């Protein structure tokens, strides 16, 4: 059949363009499939990890309770399995570190294959049942210190220094993230988990026949609220600090947040990519069909009907979409495996499941198909509607608007070649506009792909540069009296000390509640400052009431001046109501602040401190750490600079993959679009270019016509693309606004410059490729053809 | 008279798969300064192939082509471009004007790269289009477009003007005007002019007539009495 052969020769003739077009679509589909599949895979992997290693659902800490209480707790309706434990924070003395590291010691039962929150052993073995000092170290901590089974650690246990032998290295679903209490993010060098047989811990901490921590799993239909209520009631006499669920469990909370954020990013950015790539697919397709005008006209003059022709090009479309989809599916699947594996290594999931987001893949292809059909057939209708004779006549006289150049007296300045370029750009207004839009999209995607870094830098600056100006934060094992403050001022190198009181509370408003650490600060903190939107420090005058973050207010559904209930989890004070006196927005976790004296009143205690913030003379910081290591009362030390660095490292590791993918995609889009524009320009002006060659212009000179055109549309596209990119970033910040985190919209000049530079490089690369094709232009055959 | 081209034993073979097309088979020809040469021959006899080889657009499969002292057969692409740029003016059946440029700009285009160009306006005047300088090709008739093409070709004062069926797409009247423009360039600038045509009566304008059959020159005929274009009998 003739049309069939025409289809084949079309493809052969336009294979470069066809490849470029399908590639654009493939990219959009691939990133979409990659992210959605990877997110699904990670979700499934995590759930399997949690299930297979029996991650518990209810957690509670208390001061001390007899083991006999466990039986009563286990009989609470809804609880499936209950496990009591001993958990203690200790300071370590690691020779390679000046500052002390801290660890949480967690007791394990004799048979590690039983029980909850099982350890997945990565190296070595479980501790011997009768050993006194064998432990398993958490893998992130072990990796950070290059600890191997057989190494030992000096631990400051309640004032006694003891040597612990590490016999194994493991991970557990309970500590995917190991976050030191009071810290923003994990710092694997300074904080880790050590699992120790229960009998050793009982002996070391005088806890024979007692426990201070419990975890439990629930039956599927259990009422969580009831279970929490009963656990709290049973633990209250024993200093229970309030039972909580996974939602408030440090590791899971952060992991969920992280995954939620990734998930939003995984939908938003690829979705924007997909839209952009289908849009571009459409543009290029439209232009390509317009190029086919003459062929369509001559086919029609042979007697083919519009429907036959429409069907012919429809097949062409289907072929392109099918090519793009299959490449997109394959690449997306392959990339999703890579992404899942990378994140699984990052999260240290022992179980990795690869899932394919089939539904999303279908949706992506369908979007591509619909876009192609709508756009392609629209263009086709225009072309087919032309009478054959009209289409075959050379272009009617064009309105060549650039006579304004002459009128402005600038005409003389331009060489005929310059005019050729300008008039081509101008007279193909539609095509030029579409190319400009396409390249602008490429610019926008590049901006979107790299703005996260700016946002993070901004948050870091606010958080660590302007807000938290302390060098070091010390936390005490037990709340200290005012003498703790006095002791701290006398540590070596300390130039300024600011006390704080931190109390675990549950804030309620109506049916909403949120568990957090309420910070009691001095009236005008100088070191640990809280900044409002205008970056001005907030003050906490006595008797003013609570200061909450905006996110927390949204979570609790409260406004300024509303009353909330504060339930203290550290002792058995009655819940009290308090007014929300001010609200501000921050970029980190939800938080609540109160004047320190007010907090003491609430706690019915005299001056008690949870810790201090300190400024330290950098020359004497080593001495300070030496002193701290000898002080048993200190539970943790947080070096702000180190925290800043680890925060940055973590975020960077976290966003690395997305950044790489986004940049690659931006570059591919940019090249795809510019390459297409250049190809089309070459096709449309090949006759003129050949004529120039014939009358004696060199290849280089002739190439400037193409280069000039590409340069003009690229330069026009950049100022459009940058603001559009800013808009995309705004959409992205809306999307990654999670339950607990808010992201500011910050796009630096750096990012704009980067996007501009990449686009310019892409333009250069594309023109170089097209120039090579220009060199192969057949001069003689062009002269034989009549229609221009 | 100075010899401009010396063509000896030139063959051109196009290979397409198993099929070999011999477009030229051993052509020998000499062309001299100031001459007006008309090439006649049936379709497919190799006229355009010969002209393209003369103009440095194509290279022969075997044989040599010398332009003055230069051997065109051994020249590479860049040297041939330079040859075209400095010495050759082309006129084609389909004009090949740049549609985005006015008549004047089309002519000015070559003035840019030529060493001793004519003033573009003057070139247009030679072809009688001085008053159409600011018109775009799409605003001109076919004959006028062809005259702009001639103005463009002579604008660089070429040593040789090569015309491939310059009147092929035109009616008699317009054809004569175009031929007059070519003849004027030939006589006023003393340019070696080669015109390919299917129209035997144009041969009456020529100093010499070359007839080609099947890739070979069958006959070279010197004309004693040259006619002016308007005296031609079609
Ligand atoms: N690029 C090509 N590939 C293959 N064969 C070719 C090519 N160009 C020309 N030919 C063949 O070479 C022969 C001579 O062609 P040429 O164009 O020189 O003829 P011509 O005398 O100019 O004819 P016309 O008067 O129809 O223009 C023809 O048989 C033609 O088919
Ligand atoms: Mg010919």
């Amino acid at each position: 059949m003739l049309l069939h052969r025409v289809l084949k020769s079309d493809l052969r003739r336009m294979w470069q363009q066809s490849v470029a077009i399908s590639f654009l679509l493939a990219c959009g589909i691939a990133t979409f499939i990659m992210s959605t599949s990877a997110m699904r895979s990670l979700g499934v992997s995590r759930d399997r990890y949690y299930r297979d290693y029996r991650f518990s659902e209810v957690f509670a800490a208390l001061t001390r309770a007899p083991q006999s209480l466990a039986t009563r707790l286990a009989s609470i309706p809804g609880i499936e399995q209950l496990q009591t434990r001993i958990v203690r924070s200790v300071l370590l003395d690691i020779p390679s570190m000046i500052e002390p590291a801290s660890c949480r010691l967690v007791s394990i039962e004799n048979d590690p294959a039983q029980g909850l929150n099982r350890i997945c052993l990565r190296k070595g073995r479980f501790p011997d049942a009768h050993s006194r000092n064998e432990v398993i170290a958490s893998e992130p901590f072990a990796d950070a210190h290059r600890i191997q089974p057989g190494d030992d650690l000096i631990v400051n246990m309640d004032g006694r220094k003891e040597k612990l032998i590490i016999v194994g290295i493991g991970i557990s679903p309970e500590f995917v993230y190991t976050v030191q209490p009071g810290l923003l993010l994990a710092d694997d060098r300074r904080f880790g988990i050590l699992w120790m047989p229960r009998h050793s811990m009982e002996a070391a901490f005088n806890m024979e026949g007692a426990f201070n921590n419990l975890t439990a799993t629930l039956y599927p239909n259990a009422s969580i609220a009831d279970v929490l209520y009963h656990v709290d009631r049973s633990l209250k006499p024993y200093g229970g600090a309030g039972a909580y669920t996974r939602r408030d469990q440090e590791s899971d909370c952060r992991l969920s947040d992280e995954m939620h954020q990734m998930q939003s990013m995984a939908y938003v950015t690829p979705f924007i990519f997909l839209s952009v790539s289908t849009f571009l697919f459409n543009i290029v397709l439209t232009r390509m069909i317009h190029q086919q005008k003459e062929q369509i006209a001559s086919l029609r003059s042979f007697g083919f009907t519009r429907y036959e022709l429409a069907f012919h090009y429809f097949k062409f479309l289907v072929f392109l979409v099918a090519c793009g989809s299959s490449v997109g599916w394959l690449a997306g699947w392959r990339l999703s495996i890579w992404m899942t594996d990378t994140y699984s290594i990052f999260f240290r999931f022992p179980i990795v499941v690869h899932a394919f987001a089939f539904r999303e893949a279908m949706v992506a292809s369908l979007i591509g198909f619909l876009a192609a059909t709508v756009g392609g057939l629209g263009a086709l209708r225009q072309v087919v509607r032309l009478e054959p004779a009209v289409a075959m006549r050379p272009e009617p006289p064009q309105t060549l608007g650039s006579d304004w150049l002459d009128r402005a007296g600038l005409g003389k300045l331009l060489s005929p070649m310059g005019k050729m370029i300008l008039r081509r750009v101008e007279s193909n207004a539609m095509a030029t506009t579409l190319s400009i839009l396409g390249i602008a999209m490429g610019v926008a995607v590049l901006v979107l792909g790299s703005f996260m870094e700016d946002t993070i830098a901004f948050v870091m600056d606010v958080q660590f540069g302007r807000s938290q100006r302390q060098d070091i934060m010390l936390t005490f094992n037990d709340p200290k009296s005012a003498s703790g403050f006095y002791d701290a001022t006398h540590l070596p190198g300390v130039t300024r000390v600011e006390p704080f009181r931190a109390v675990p509370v549950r804030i309620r408003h109506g049916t909403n509640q949120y568990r957090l650490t309420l910070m009691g600060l001095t009236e005008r903190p100088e070191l640990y400052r809280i900044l409002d939107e205008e970056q001005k420090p907030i003050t906490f005058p006595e008797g003013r009431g609570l200061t909450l973050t905006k996110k927390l207010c949204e979570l609790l559904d409260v406004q300024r001046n509303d009353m909330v209930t504060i339930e203290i989890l550290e002792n058995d004070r009655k819940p009290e109501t308090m007014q929300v006196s001010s609200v501000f927005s921050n970029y980190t976790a939800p938080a609540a602040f109160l004047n320190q004296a007010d907090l003491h009143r609430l706690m019915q205690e005299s001056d008690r401190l949870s810790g201090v913030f300190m400024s330290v003379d950098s020359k004497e910081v080593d001495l300070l750490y030496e002193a701290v290591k000898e002080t048993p009362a200190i539970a943790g030390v947080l070096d702000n600079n180190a925290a800043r660095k680890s925060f940055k490292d973590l975020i960077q590791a976290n966003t690395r993959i997305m950044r790489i993918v986004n940049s690659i995609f931006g570059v591919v889009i940019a090249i795809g679009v510019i390459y297409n524009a250049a190809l089309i320009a070459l096709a449309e002006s090949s006759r003129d270019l050949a004529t120039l060659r014939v009358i004696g212009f060199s290849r280089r000179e002739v190439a400037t016509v193409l280069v000039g055109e590409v340069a003009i549309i690229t330069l026009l596209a950049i100022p459009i693309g940058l603001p559009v990119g800013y808009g995309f970033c705004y959409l992205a910040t809306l999307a990654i606004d999670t339950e607990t985190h808010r992201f500011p919209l910050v796009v630096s000049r750096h990012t704009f410059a980067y996007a501009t530079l990449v686009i310019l490089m892409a333009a250069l690369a594309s023109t170089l490729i097209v120039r090579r094709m220009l060199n192969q232009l057949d001069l003689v055959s062009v002269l034989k053809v009549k229609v221009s | 008279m100075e010899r401009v081209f010396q063509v000896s034993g030139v063959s051109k073979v196009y290979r397409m798969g198993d099929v070999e097309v011999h477009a030229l088979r051993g052509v020998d020809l000499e062309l001299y300064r100031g001459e007006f040469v008309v090439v006649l021959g049936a379709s497919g006899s190799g006229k355009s192939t010969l002209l393209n080889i003369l103009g440095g657009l194509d290279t022969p499969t075997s044989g040599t082509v010398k332009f003055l002292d230069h051997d065109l057969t051994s020249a590479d692409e860049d040297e041939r471009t330079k040859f075209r740029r400095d010495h050759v003016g082309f006129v084609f059946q389909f004009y090949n004007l740049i549609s985005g440029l006015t008549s004047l700009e089309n002519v000015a285009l070559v003035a840019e790269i030529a060493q001793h160009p004519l003033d573009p306006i003057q070139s247009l005047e030679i072809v009688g289009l001085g008053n159409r300088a600011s018109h775009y090709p799409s605003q001109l008739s076919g004959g006028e477009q062809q005259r702009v093409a001639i103005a463009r070709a002579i604008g660089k004062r070429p040593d040789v003007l090569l015309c491939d069926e310059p009147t092929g797409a035109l009616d008699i009247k317009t054809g004569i005007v175009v031929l007059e423009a070519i003849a004027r360039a030939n006589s006023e600038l003393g340019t070696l002019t080669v015109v390919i045509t299917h129209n035997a009566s144009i041969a009456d304008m020529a100093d010499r007539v070359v007839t080609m059959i099947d890739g070979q020159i069958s006959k070279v005929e010197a004309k004693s009495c040259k006619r002016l274009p308007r005296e031609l009998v079609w």
Side-chain angles (χ1 to χ4, degrees):
Chain A
M1 193 190 148
L2 174 66
L3 276 178
H4 193 69
R5 242 176 293 139
V6 172
L7 180 64
K8 268 207 241 160
S9 87
D10 276 355
L11 282 173
R12 209 173 310 125
R13 197 157 36 92
M14 302 188 291
W15 69 268
Q16 283 141 321
Q17 255 180 301
S18 309
V19 166
I21 295 184
S22 326
F23 196 63
L24 280 179
L25 189 65
C27 274
I29 292 180
T31 38
F32 198 66
I33 291 179
M34 170 193 75
S35 341
T36 48
S37 298
M39 289 312 123
R40 177 159 309 171
S41 307
L42 283 175
V44 174
S45 303
R46 176 191 59 183
D47 293 346
R48 284 277 289 280
Y49 182 24
Y50 280 6
R51 197 192 65 200
D52 292 2
Y53 288 84
R54 307 276 291 145
F55 183 38
S56 49
E57 290 158 274
V58 170
F59 310 80
L62 53 147
T63 317
R64 182 193 177 103
Q67 186 56 33
S68 55
L69 186 66
T71 340
R72 221 170 73 214
L73 287 163
S75 65
I76 290 174
I79 289 190
E80 182 201 31
Q81 190 180 349
L82 182 124
Q83 186 171 332
T84 60
R85 308 190 290 190
I86 302 169
V87 176
R88 284 294 286 237
S89 287
V90 291
L91 280 187
L92 308 181
D93 189 354
I94 295 180
S96 62
M97 269 172 78
I98 312 160
E99 71 270 35
S102 51
C103 260
R104 191 176 302 169
L105 282 177
V106 178
S107 71
I108 47 172
E109 297 303 317
N110 283 340
D111 184 359
Q114 296 294 312
L116 303 177
N117 307 310
R118 291 175 195 164
I119 298 165
C120 169
L121 203 61
R122 303 280 218 160
K123 267 186 216 160
R125 57 171 176 86
F126 284 103
D128 195 65
H130 306 291
S131 74
R132 260 194 57 83
N133 56 357
E134 291 183 351
V135 293
I136 299 177
S138 59
E139 194 182 46
F141 183 74
D143 284 354
H145 294 284
R146 299 212 174 79
I147 291 175
Q148 294 293 334
D151 292 351
D152 51 41
L153 279 177
I154 305 296
V155 178
N156 193 337
M157 289 208 204
D158 266 359
R160 273 172 299 118
K161 294 220 166 169
E162 268 190 54
K163 187 198 252 182
L164 299 183
I165 315 271
I166 290 161
V167 295
I169 288 164
I171 50 175
S172 129
E174 195 185 357
F175 300 107
V176 173
Y177 270 105
T178 41
V179 188
Q180 200 171 354
L183 257 194
L184 216 55
L185 281 166
D187 179 355
D188 294 329
R189 228 171 93 77
R190 287 169 195 80
F191 185 71
I193 308 295
L194 294 177
W195 286 280
M196 197 176 193
R198 180 149 180 177
H199 63 89
S200 313
M201 283 197 71
E202 286 182 348
F205 297 102
N206 273 326
M207 293 285 281
E208 280 91 355
F211 66 95
N212 68 358
N213 191 288
L214 71 84
T215 67
T217 51
L218 301 178
Y219 286 114
N221 54 357
S223 153
I224 294 169
D226 284 353
V227 171
L228 292 185
Y229 172 77
H230 283 111
V231 171
D232 278 352
R233 218 181 50 176
S234 310
L235 294 183
K236 202 104 236 189
Y238 304 99
Y244 53 94
T245 58
R246 283 184 191 175
R247 202 186 88 144
D248 291 315
Q249 200 264 344
E250 283 146 16
S251 167
D252 183 59
C253 169
R254 261 162 232 255
L255 182 60
S256 307
D257 224 44
E258 194 64 51
M259 287 181 56
H260 180 85
Q261 227 161 68
M262 273 161 49
Q263 216 142 31
S264 328
M265 276 308 258
Y267 277 91
V268 175
T269 334
F271 192 77
I272 291 177
F273 284 0
L274 184 63
S275 326
V276 169
S277 78
T278 41
F279 174 71
L280 294 177
F281 181 71
N282 224 319
I283 285 182
V284 180
L285 198 68
T286 308
R287 287 197 65 175
M288 205 157 115
I289 287 177
H290 274 286
Q291 255 176 285
Q292 297 297 296
K293 216 171 61 174
E294 281 150 31
Q295 180 180 314
I296 291 172
S298 64
L299 286 173
R300 280 203 66 198
S301 68
F302 297 160
F304 287 101
T305 67
R306 294 172 188 194
Y307 301 103
E308 283 168 324
L309 287 175
F311 187 61
H312 161 71
Y313 282 94
F314 181 71
K315 278 190 288 190
F316 188 59
L317 288 184
V318 170
F319 181 78
L320 290 183
V321 175
C323 287
S325 289
S326 30
V327 173
W329 280 43
L330 282 177
W333 170 233
R334 190 68 207 79
L335 285 169
S336 88
I337 292 177
W338 166 73
M339 196 172 181
T340 308
D341 289 348
T342 315
Y343 272 118
S344 298
I345 291 170
F346 177 74
F347 290 133
R348 299 170 194 272
F349 287 161
I351 301 167
V352 183
V353 182
H354 295 290
F356 185 73
F358 185 73
R359 222 182 37 209
E360 282 83 352
M362 286 303 283
V363 168
S365 287
L366 198 68
I367 290 175
F369 175 73
L370 287 180
T373 322
V374 170
L377 291 184
L380 205 60
R381 218 181 53 211
Q382 277 177 20
V383 171
V384 173
R385 221 194 274 132
L386 288 177
E387 285 307 313
V390 177
M392 282 171 70
R393 218 177 292 145
E395 289 279 303
Q398 295 151 333
T399 43
L400 291 158
S402 57
D403 294 328
W404 56 264
L405 272 174
D406 293 322
R407 261 181 272 121
L410 291 170
K412 293 229 162 35
L413 292 177
L414 270 182
S415 69
M417 297 268 258
K419 286 180 189 163
M420 248 181 99
I421 300 170
L422 267 192
R423 296 212 182 111
R424 232 193 81 77
V425 168
E426 245 183 320
S427 61
N428 300 345
M430 183 63 185
T432 308
T433 314
L434 289 180
S435 291
I436 290 176
L437 280 181
I439 298 171
M441 287 299 167
V443 176
V445 164
L446 282 166
V447 172
L448 174 67
S450 56
F451 91 103
M452 273 309 273
E453 244 155 309
D454 301 337
T455 304
I456 290 163
F458 177 79
V459 171
M460 296 262 307
D461 179 53
V462 169
Q463 190 66 29
F464 292 103
R466 284 184 257 179
S467 174
Q468 304 187 4
R469 301 195 295 186
Q470 77 277 8
D471 295 317
I472 280 169
M473 173 175 116
L474 289 186
T475 47
F476 303 134
N477 252 332
D478 302 303
K480 287 263 167 296
S481 59
S483 68
F485 177 74
Y486 182 78
D487 291 345
T489 49
H490 286 83
L491 285 168
V494 172
T495 53
R496 192 185 182 101
V497 177
E498 214 167 78
F500 70 90
R501 179 75 172 107
V503 179
V505 298
R506 198 179 277 142
I507 303 185
R508 289 181 190 279
H509 179 253
T511 54
N512 301 315
Q513 58 168 61
Y514 198 82
R515 192 175 184 277
L516 47 62
T517 303
L518 177 59
M519 288 285 275
L521 300 175
T522 51
E523 180 172 346
R524 262 172 217 286
E526 285 290 324
L527 296 177
Y528 188 88
R529 303 192 305 171
I530 310 300
L531 303 176
D532 64 11
E533 266 106 315
E534 274 102 53
Q535 309 287 322
K536 282 212 276 294
I538 296 173
T539 55
F540 306 96
E542 225 181 304
R544 166 120 71 86
L546 282 168
T547 301
L548 306 184
T549 64
K550 209 172 192 167
K551 264 286 170 202
L552 183 57
C553 290
E554 283 164 21
L555 288 170
L556 296 171
D557 191 25
V558 297
Q559 311 272 328
R560 229 173 74 110
N561 298 331
D562 283 355
M563 302 297 283
V564 292
T565 310
I566 306 269
E567 196 180 315
I568 290 172
L569 300 174
E570 205 175 79
N571 59 22
D572 45 7
R573 294 270 87 79
K574 279 223 171 57
E576 284 200 37
T577 58
M578 225 177 204
Q579 195 176 34
V580 178
S581 63
S582 73
V583 175
F584 73 102
S585 43
N586 70 343
Y587 302 122
T588 50
F593 303 93
L594 190 62
N595 179 281
Q596 206 170 316
D598 290 339
L599 184 54
H600 291 319
R601 205 160 303 125
L602 191 69
M603 295 285 293
Q604 299 191 359
E605 64 186 13
S606 55
D607 285 2
R608 303 259 278 170
L609 307 180
S610 306
V612 291
F613 300 112
M614 306 191 297
S615 285
V616 181
D617 182 350
S618 57
K619 282 186 276 274
E620 290 189 78
V621 82
D622 295 5
L623 284 175
L624 174 80
Y625 283 139
E626 280 308 313
V628 165
K629 282 181 193 172
E630 301 304 320
T631 315
I634 293 172
V637 180
L638 173 65
D639 181 322
N640 210 30
N641 287 325
R644 178 189 193 127
K645 200 183 156 291
S646 70
F647 179 91
K648 195 167 151 191
D649 290 349
L650 188 86
I651 296 258
Q652 259 165 6
N654 249 346
T655 54
R656 203 189 90 232
I657 297 169
M658 271 296 173
R659 265 191 350 246
I660 294 175
V661 168
N662 289 359
S663 308
I664 290 176
F665 189 76
V667 171
V668 166
I669 280 208
I671 292 189
V673 175
I674 299 180
Y675 178 57
N676 262 302
L679 271 184
I680 290 173
L682 176 64
E684 285 174 358
S685 47
S686 63
R687 188 184 170 81
D688 282 354
L689 301 179
T691 303
L692 289 176
R693 291 278 286 121
V694 166
I695 61 181
F697 283 89
S698 67
R699 296 180 203 182
R700 239 209 18 239
E701 288 162 332
V702 170
T704 56
V705 176
L706 273 190
V707 174
E709 178 168 343
V710 171
I712 289 177
I713 55 177
T714 306
L715 292 180
L716 288 175
I718 289 170
I720 300 174
L722 295 179
V724 173
Y726 190 79
F728 282 175
C729 296
Y730 174 70
L731 288 181
T733 52
L734 286 191
I736 53 178
D737 205 43
T738 64
E739 183 178 311
T740 49
H741 283 66
R742 192 172 67 88
F743 271 87
L745 174 57
V746 182
V747 187
S748 74
R749 262 183 249 156
H750 204 86
T751 293
F752 287 133
Y754 159 79
T756 307
L757 194 74
V758 172
I759 282 291
L760 291 179
M761 301 284 279
L764 194 69
S766 320
T767 40
L768 284 181
I769 301 173
V770 175
R771 214 194 121 175
R772 285 251 313 275
M773 297 168 60
L774 185 63
N775 289 347
Q776 283 142 26
L777 208 60
D778 184 350
L779 302 187
V780 178
S781 69
V782 174
L783 303 173
K784 289 182 186 163
V785 191
K786 185 176 174 206
V787 199
S788 58
Chain B
M1 254 194 308
E2 191 189 357
R3 190 177 64 201
V4 179
F5 279 109
Q6 183 177 21
V7 178
S8 28
V10 162
S11 297
K12 177 77 185 179
V13 184
Y14 291 106
R15 262 188 206 88
M16 295 183 301
D18 298 340
V19 191
E20 284 195 352
V21 180
H22 290 262
L24 295 175
R25 320 163 182 258
V27 171
D28 298 304
L29 184 66
E30 295 192 337
L31 298 168
Y32 302 95
R33 188 168 297 284
E35 254 194 319
F36 193 113
V37 178
V38 166
V39 182
L40 292 176
S43 180
S45 57
K47 305 182 294 293
S48 299
T49 308
L50 178 61
L51 194 84
N52 290 340
I53 289 175
L54 286 178
L57 283 177
D58 212 344
T59 47
T61 316
S62 65
T64 55
V65 178
K66 276 179 82 174
F67 172 79
L68 302 176
D69 290 334
H70 308 287
D71 184 4
L72 285 186
T73 18
S74 61
D76 65 11
E77 175 66 40
D78 288 341
E79 287 163 337
R80 281 188 283 125
T81 301
K82 180 144 173 42
F83 163 65
R84 289 201 298 273
R85 183 183 188 123
D86 294 342
H87 306 289
V88 186
F90 279 106
V91 177
F92 298 99
Q93 183 178 2
F94 301 121
Y95 329 136
N96 288 81
L97 296 178
I98 310 281
S99 57
L101 296 179
T102 63
S103 320
L104 185 65
E105 287 160 356
N106 261 289
V107 179
L109 203 54
V110 288
E112 254 190 38
I113 54 170
Q115 280 165 335
H116 313 287
L118 289 177
D119 175 22
I121 284 284
Q122 197 192 336
S123 311
L124 279 178
E125 273 162 2
I126 291 178
V127 299
L129 285 177
N131 56 341
R132 306 296 294 270
S134 62
H135 287 89
Y136 287 97
S138 55
Q139 297 164 321
L140 299 172
S141 77
E144 286 159 348
Q145 288 188 49
Q146 190 59 298
R147 277 145 70 199
V148 174
I150 293 166
R152 184 179 68 186
I154 61 175
K156 64 163 88 152
R157 284 192 227 255
D159 293 304
V160 48
L161 181 61
L162 302 175
C163 313
D164 195 342
E165 303 189 39
T167 58
L170 305 173
D171 64 15
I172 299 170
K173 223 177 108 217
T174 336
I176 287 173
V177 180
V178 166
L179 286 171
E180 271 174 341
I182 294 175
R184 211 172 144 195
N186 171 248
S187 57
E188 284 183 17
L189 304 170
T191 317
L192 163 62
T193 307
V194 181
V195 176
I196 292 180
T197 179
H198 277 186
N199 189 336
S201 53
I202 293 178
D204 291 342
M205 288 173 62
D207 297 312
R208 285 199 295 160
V209 179
V210 176
T211 309
M212 295 190 68
I213 297 177
D214 203 15
Q216 285 174 315
I217 292 177
S218 66
K219 177 167 80 174
V220 180
E221 188 185 355
K223 291 270 175 173
S224 44
C225 58
K226 239 171 115 172
R227 290 196 194 185
L228 294 175
R230 73 183 101 83
E231 300 166 345
L232 295 179
V233 186
W234 295 71

